[in-house]
Each structure stands twice: as structure tokens, then as C-alpha cells.
Amino acid sequence: MALDRNLKMGMVGGGPGAFIGEVHRKASRMDGGVQLVAGAFDINPEKSKQQGKELILDPNRVYGTYKEMIEAELRLPEGERIDFVSITTPNNWHFPIARDFLEAGFNVMCEKPMTFNVEEAKELQKIVKKTKKVFGLMHNYTGYPMVKLARDMARGGELGKIRKIVVQYPQGWLSTALEKTGSMQASWRTDPKQSGGAGCIGDIGTHAENLSEYITGLKIAKLCADLSIFVKGRKLDDDGNILLRFNNGASGVLHASQISVGEENNLAIWIYGEQKGLEWHQEDPNYLYVKDQNAPTQVWKRGNGYVAAKSAAAVRATRLPSGHPEAFFEAFANIYRNFTDTIRANLTNTKPDPLMLDFPNVNDGLRGMQFIETVLESTKSKEKWTEFKK
Ligand code: NAD
């Protein structure tokens, strides 16, 4: 039986001038069936109220703090209170907020990196298991149709045994000390107390790590990292080059940077098997290149029948006919659709379709935190090659 009401969404973070909270708000309602009804939108309670007003929410459900939000929402009857919360605050807040909402019985969508360190990530994994609530992690790049096609090709064996993975995420926006100019996004990202042990590697290196494991199904087994801080006075890495070795023996290179001048969000991945290769670019996401040593390169285009024949997940993630570009918002919406369909299945005591369960979860979040800590350990070590942290 289908759920006969909208799911009710709450949000923590996403106050005036914030970046990603608004993306979550737009993407979560793209397919209907979700309504934002409550929030603690800002670290400053006054600004939280201001944001709630702009969103035309019931003022009684716009809270000064997330703790107030939990208490007040619990007082509402089931069906009226929020079904899930989206956490879009800086990294240091992810764990306490996710833990407290899960323990109060709410489902959670959380921004990456999932927690502040591996210890918190392991604790969160236990809490998700214990509470049996749905937990989603916003590694949005896994939401693209052509990434899903790449995954189905790579995991389906079309490339042959995978030998080499090259993944990059260069940006240039932190190539000067933007954090000293009042930029909200730059200031917490470069502060170890809010960002965590890593800067660039935690912020965008984890997206690259997650994408490589999502598409191939392989796991990074060890790595050798070289992080740098180029901008004077900065405390956290703003550039990193990492050699990888995967659990099937494949070799890899991952580089992430926020000082690569002129680059915007140039996330891209190349995967080479014994028979074929794949190439995908986030800034041109509707195309997947399939390479063959003995034939011309093929361009697979989103929204066509030949994609549908190969990947049910790519079809589910496609909204528009081919040639009408889909991108960032749609990829977020695809993560939301699978996450919320899984919540609906739970609420109606039905088994979620495996396609619905295709969204990043707490285990991916733990991998991300283990990746960060392994990279930090390798950077400091003289041995360099470092086993992936357990
Ligand atoms: P931002 O600085 O633009 O916004 C953060 C918001 O959180 C602000 O409104 C701030 O007041 C609010 N906030 C801080 N502490 C709070 C608290 N305790 N309670 C309520 N609100 C609080 O930051 P951003 O760029 O939107 O990044 C937020 C998070 O999203 C980070 O974890 C970041 O890594 C992640 N992010 C992910 C993506 C992606 O592509 N998945 C992109 C950007 C950011």
C-alpha cells in the first residue's frame, strides 16, 4: 500500500546565505511527496527565525536550536511530526545532531563528511543499526544516471578485470586566503575545529574516494599520500596527491585540490579494465565515454534506449528526454528519491525495491572517515604506504 500523505521534512543548517541547505530543499521536493515543515536553520536563533519566515513555515515549527526541535517535534502526533531531518551544517555538528535525531526515532539525511573522526563514525554506525532508522549520506555524485550506467558496466564485468583508476577533484576557489575576507563557506572549511583533521581531502577528496568505490565495487586497501598547504597561514591541507592500491590489486591515483587556479568543480574519473575503459566528467555529466583499444571511443548519452537496456538504475535516475541537460539538482533529487522511498516502504511495512536502496549510507560515511584518517597518517609517515584504517 502506498503512503497517502507527504513525508514531512525538517532541516538543521541552511540559514541565510548558506550554500547546500537550499540545494537540499529544492532537490527534496523535485518529485513531490516531501514537504519541509520544520527547521533549526542557523547557529544564530534569530537567523533561523528569519530563514523560516522566508520559507513561509509555521513559526511554531522554526526553532532556535536542533535540541529544541527534537523536543517539540516529539510532542506532535506521528504523521504530523517530521519523518526525517536533513543535516546541512558544517562538519563538526554532523555527529551530535545525527545521533540525537536517530535516538529520538527520526530518519536522517546527512551531509558529508559524515562525522568529525572515525570514532564518531563507528558510533553512528552502531546507532543506525540499533535504531533501525533510515540513514542517507549526501555523496550526490553517485546520483547521476551516467555514473549508475558506469557502475553497472564496471561491476557487470564489461571492462574486464579493473587494473587502473584515476580520479580527480580540482577546484581553485581557495587559491587565495578567502577565509580572511568574511566568506562563511571558506572560514569554517579552513578551521580545524569545524572542518576536522583535513581540509580539501575531507571536503572533496572524500567525494572522489566514494565515487571510485561506488562505480567499481572495489575497496581502497592502502594508499600513499602527499598533502600540502599552499596558502600562507592556513592550518589545513588545500591540495593533495594520493597513490592508491585497491583490494583486487588495481592501482590508482586520486588528486584533490582547492588551489588549482581556474578550476571549478572538475571532478572526473577514468577506469581502465583489461578490455575496456570508462571516462566521466561531472561538469559534462550526461555523457559517458567507453574506450576500446581496437575500436573508436563510444559516447553513451543519457536518456537513450541503449542506456535503458543496460541500466535500470540509470533509467530510474533520468527525468528528461535526452539532450535536455540534467545535472546537480537532479543528482541530489535522485539520492532523495531513493532515501524517501525507503522511508515510505518502512512506514507501510513493505520491502524496499533494491533500486530504492541505491543511496549512500552510514557504511559509506565510515569509509570516508577512514579514508581521511589514513591519508593524514600516510602524509605524516616516513613509510608512506599505509594500510586503509579499520
Ligand atoms: P555554509 O557555511 O554555507 O552553511 C552552513 C549553515 O549551517 C549556516 O546557515 C550555519 O548558520 C548553519 N549552522 C551551523 N551550525 C549550526 C547548528 N548547530 N544548528 C543549526 N544550524 C547551524 O556551509 P555549506 O557550504 O552549505 O556546507 C554545509 C555542509 O554541507 C558541510 O558539511 C559541507 O561539507 C557539505 N557540503 C556538501 C556538498 C555536496 O556536494 N554534497 C556541497 C557543499 C557542502
Side-chain angles (χ1 to χ4, degrees):
M1 200 186 64
L3 190 69
D4 60 357
R5 63 171 178 84
N6 283 329
L7 285 183
K8 295 188 170 58
M9 171 181 180
M11 175 171 278
V12 184
F19 168 38
I20 215 66
E22 182 57 24
V23 176
H24 282 252
R25 290 194 286 261
K26 288 195 165 88
S28 58
R29 62 174 186 254
M30 190 173 276
D31 296 297
V34 172
Q35 188 189 1
L36 178 72
V37 295
F41 296 106
D42 203 282
I43 188 78
N44 174 340
E46 283 313 308
K47 287 192 179 171
S48 175
K49 303 273 169 204
Q50 179 193 332
Q51 188 63 55
K53 222 170 170 181
E54 275 169 34
L55 294 165
I56 322 184
L57 297 185
D58 174 354
N60 294 320
R61 294 180 82 176
V62 181
Y63 304 100
T65 67
Y66 83 88
K67 282 188 187 280
E68 244 178 67
M69 177 165 160
I70 294 176
E71 277 173 28
E73 290 294 316
L74 279 177
R75 286 197 290 271
L76 297 171
E78 232 171 282
E80 213 173 292
R81 71 172 75 131
I82 58 166
D83 295 291
F84 72 91
V85 69
S86 295
I87 303 170
T88 65
T89 62
N91 310 345
N92 57 317
W93 285 101
H94 295 175
F95 173 70
I97 299 174
R99 175 197 60 203
D100 291 359
F101 273 94
L102 286 165
E103 286 183 337
F106 297 102
N107 302 294
V108 170
M109 169 61 77
C110 186
E111 261 304 344
K112 46 46 63 180
M114 185 170 79
T115 54
F116 210 58
N117 53 43
V118 169
E119 208 184 324
E120 286 182 356
K122 286 187 173 164
E123 182 67 27
L124 201 62
Q125 194 183 43
K126 280 191 205 140
I127 294 169
V128 170
K129 204 165 169 202
K130 186 182 75 191
T131 58
K132 299 195 175 68
K133 292 288 134 190
V134 183
F135 182 90
L137 185 72
M138 193 43 85
H139 271 305
N140 44 304
Y141 300 110
T142 64
Y144 286 85
M146 301 315 270
V147 167
K148 299 204 180 287
L149 173 65
R151 179 203 59 177
D152 289 345
M153 285 179 163
R155 294 198 191 191
E158 284 200 31
L159 314 184
K161 186 179 175 223
I162 293 169
R163 288 172 163 164
K164 173 137 188 167
I165 300 166
V166 180
V167 61
Q168 64 168 37
Y169 200 153
Q171 299 178 330
W173 71 294
L174 289 179
S175 49
T176 59
L178 196 64
E179 59 271 33
K180 297 202 175 121
T181 66
S183 158
M184 186 160 117
Q185 285 77 26
S187 94
W188 71 256
R189 277 178 172 83
T190 52
D191 172 8
K193 291 201 184 76
Q194 296 181 77
S195 187
C200 168
I201 285 301
D203 197 33
I204 54 175
T206 48
H207 275 311
E209 164 265 328
N210 179 260
L211 189 66
S212 70
E213 294 196 347
Y214 178 76
I215 294 180
T216 62
L218 300 175
K219 300 278 181 221
I220 299 169
K222 55 184 179 175
L223 56 81
C224 171
D226 179 30
L227 301 192
S228 304
I229 302 174
F230 281 106
V231 172
K232 222 172 147 202
R234 198 168 268 168
K235 295 193 181 78
L236 296 174
D237 55 285
D238 48 23
D239 183 81
N241 301 316
I242 303 166
L243 298 178
L244 307 170
R245 188 61 72 170
F246 287 82
N247 57 347
N248 75 334
S251 71
V253 182
L254 183 157
H255 88 87
S257 175
Q258 294 180 317
I259 51 89
S260 292
V261 287
E263 297 291 354
E264 294 172 325
N265 282 284
N266 199 356
L267 170 66
I269 188 162
W270 293 257
I271 297 163
Y272 302 100
E274 284 175 356
Q275 270 95 48
K276 285 187 181 166
L278 292 180
E279 177 178 344
W280 181 77
H281 294 259
Q282 191 274 151
E283 291 184 350
D284 196 13
N286 292 280
Y287 305 98
L288 176 71
Y289 299 89
V290 180
K291 298 173 169 184
D292 190 314
Q293 198 55 36
N294 303 306
T297 297
Q298 292 181 343
V299 187
W300 287 59
K301 301 180 182 180
R302 185 198 54 77
N304 285 290
Y306 52 80
V307 174
K310 190 109 348 206
S311 172
V315 175
R316 181 171 159 84
T318 294
R319 289 178 179 73
L320 292 169
S322 60
H324 293 307
E326 289 182 357
F328 198 68
F329 281 122
E330 286 85 352
F332 267 75
N334 289 333
I335 306 276
Y336 264 105
R337 183 161 53 191
N338 287 349
F339 167 74
T340 55
D341 276 353
T342 302
I343 295 176
R344 289 184 191 94
N346 284 2
L347 287 172
T348 52
N349 289 318
T350 47
K351 205 168 173 256
D353 183 296
L355 283 174
M356 292 176 188
L357 294 171
D358 176 18
F359 60 89
N361 62 28
V362 74
N363 303 325
D364 300 288
L366 174 59
R367 291 285 299 167
M369 297 315 299
Q370 289 166 328
F371 172 72
I372 293 171
E373 289 198 2
T374 312
V375 167
L376 293 175
E377 193 180 315
S378 165
T379 284
K380 282 198 216 111
S381 122
K382 288 208 173 72
E383 284 287 306
K384 295 315 276 182
W385 277 101
T386 308
E387 298 289 326
F388 201 90
K389 245 183 151 51
K390 292 247 162 63

